[in-house]
Amino acid sequence: MSGFVALPETGARSARDHALAVLRVRGAALGAALLPTAVAAVLLAGGATGRLGGAGWDAARWAAVAVALPVLAAAAAVAAVVARARPAVSPTVQIEEAAAPDLYRLIRELADRLDVPAPSGIALTPDCDSWLEDRAHITRGRRRGPFGAWPFRPGGARAAAPVLVIGSPFLWWMRVAELRALLAPVVAGTGPSAHPDIAAARRFVRGLDAAAAVAATVRGLLPKRLGYGFAGWIARLLLRAGAAHAAEMERMVASAAAVRAQAVDYGLRVVAQEQVGLAYAGWDRLLTRVALPAWRTGRWPVRLDAGVVAALTELSRRDRLAEGFASRLGERPACDLLEEPGAVDRAVSLLAARLFHDGPTEPGPDWVPVDWQQYPEEVVDRIWRIEAARLFTVLRATGNPTLDELLGRLAATAADGGGAEEFVARIGAVLAREEAAGVPAAGGGAETAARTAGGVAVLPAPPAPAPSPPSSAPFPPLPGGGFPPQPPRAGRELLAEHITAAVCCAAVDTAGAVPGLDWLDGPALFVDGERRSDLARPVRALAEDGDPEPLRNWLAAVGVRHDKPIRLV
């Protein structure tokens, strides 16, 4: 496809009008910067031709030049900062066409049906969202993308089309037809992106935003900080002047893309939107209940996207409202469009750990990949042993660590009129010391599963004849670092968590219980193949009221020997 791509009439005229309004802000800024120079040029030309002679005009000429030179220098400096600033790029896993020819073919056919240019590439993000991202500033000068050239302006130069970023959970949970329907409005957005006025307005806004971000982080000598501070102030001023029109332009562009996409799988898109909400719920639950405990022990699950399918399948088994969703699993999943789903899942899972937990930038003995089959032993049992050891440390146990000693100490504290606040404070202090010292909670060896280029993780094409996963290379530091999906526990809840860990360790050591994984709730204790979910109430009675009897009854029912030593880390 070549040439200019016209926008749908609905909303298109307004989008162009708002784009022109943004460009008028740019024009006004340029005019204001050049006005003193233009006045000085006119006065100098008048003096050279003898038309504006005399002492008064000479003074005016020198005054105009004295004003024009610093204004022109300042404008050039601001323009240089804006031109050199690079807009932020979302951390993603880039998928080359050789690694997903069927997926590229689906997107190309979808673009043809929508009569819009195809995206320049495909990338995956560890989140439940999809969008187009302009990466022309990092791909400028490279070869053409797999979808071909990009019609940037009629009869003019061509540049890279935006990259299609797809939420990785969608590929594993959605079926092929659902994914196509879901991406139709997103791919339709490449049409407005090819419009020269809209593209120019977006470049102007992105450049100002990047310049303001750069100016806010500059350190060094005072003159440098002042210069960048002035450039940042000008960038923010222009952003505020065009913000309303830019926001309205994007709204109109989205409306135009939605209108264009109505002709493609509209009925199926309603079903796909239902799956978006379900995928988001499953992904959030998997990160907070399953992935976060592993990350905190120095382990990163390598198949998070496959785990989403397991979690949502389990949800459909438990929740009658989601029963019909599991029946779709007999259809072809969208991840089948990838040549190596496992390698892609591994790379996305590592990126998720970097984004949501600020995982290490390099592989090492304290950052180890773990598969789901290894999760109970490598993560669940490890968490229990670590927390049990921490609990007996704060209890200042004198002999072998047993549940008898634990129950006796907490019950005696309650009987003496005291509370568990002392133990809670000690546990919090130990955790703070461990965090401050950077003490690793787990060990082992690891190799990462991603290759990076220009701040974007790149999954290479599978070599022939036997495809292999990507070679190891560290992720670059991400701007702003990561953040935990949920805050750490505190207070009595923290004490109850450590008591539960000690009880689970004793159950594993003396009653034949095993650590396990519940896809919706995370680490779990299994006895005789059944998950025991009735431990919370007796543990709460001990932690909050100092009453050991409910827990003693539970231990007796399960067959746990509370007089036997517990194996710690």
Side-chain angles (χ1 to χ4, degrees), residues 83-104:
R84 294 181 61 183
R86 292 292 178 260
V89 175
S90 303
T92 57
V93 173
Q94 188 74 29
I95 305 297
E96 302 295 343
E97 185 173 12
D102 291 342
L103 180 59
Y104 271 79

Side-chain angles (χ1 to χ4, degrees), residues 25 40 42 53 61 63 100 137 157 208 213 223 234 306 326 350 360 387 394 397 400 418 447 461 492 504 527 544 558:
V25 173
V42 170
R61 270 191 291 273
H137 58 285
L208 293 177
I234 293 294
L350 181 56
E387 292 185 344
V394 302
N400 292 326
E447 290 285 322
R492 298 299 182 95
C504 290
V527 179
E544 297 178 1
V558 176

Side-chain angles (χ1 to χ4, degrees), residues 25-26 28-30 32-33 70-71 73-82 204-205 207-213 215-216 225-243:
V25 173
R26 184 185 66 178
L30 181 62
V71 170
V78 172
V81 171
V82 174
F204 176 61
V205 172
L208 293 177
D209 186 66
R225 296 201 307 270
L226 290 176
Y228 274 94
F230 175 74
W233 177 75
I234 293 294
R236 291 190 295 271
L237 183 67
L238 296 178
L239 281 174
R240 285 194 294 269

Side-chain angles (χ1 to χ4, degrees), residues 8 34 63 103 134 168 201 216 244 258 292 305 354-355 421 492 562-563:
L34 295 180
L103 180 59
D134 187 358
S168 63
L292 182 60
D305 291 303
R354 289 285 294 115
L355 286 173
E421 287 76 10
R492 298 299 182 95
H562 46 77
D563 58 330

Side-chain angles (χ1 to χ4, degrees), residues 472-543:
S472 63
F475 273 111
L478 298 178
F483 57 92
Q486 64 180 12
R489 297 181 179 181
R492 298 299 182 95
E493 188 179 9
L494 184 62
L495 177 61
E497 182 181 88
H498 283 69
I499 295 174
T500 300
V503 172
C504 290
C505 289
V508 171
D509 294 342
T510 66
V514 295
L517 169 62
D518 184 282
W519 289 109
L520 298 177
D521 296 326
L525 179 70
F526 285 79
V527 179
D528 297 329
E530 296 291 332
R531 181 194 171 194
R532 296 302 299 249
S533 56
D534 55 346
L535 180 57
R537 187 184 299 273
V539 166
R540 225 173 17 247
L542 178 62

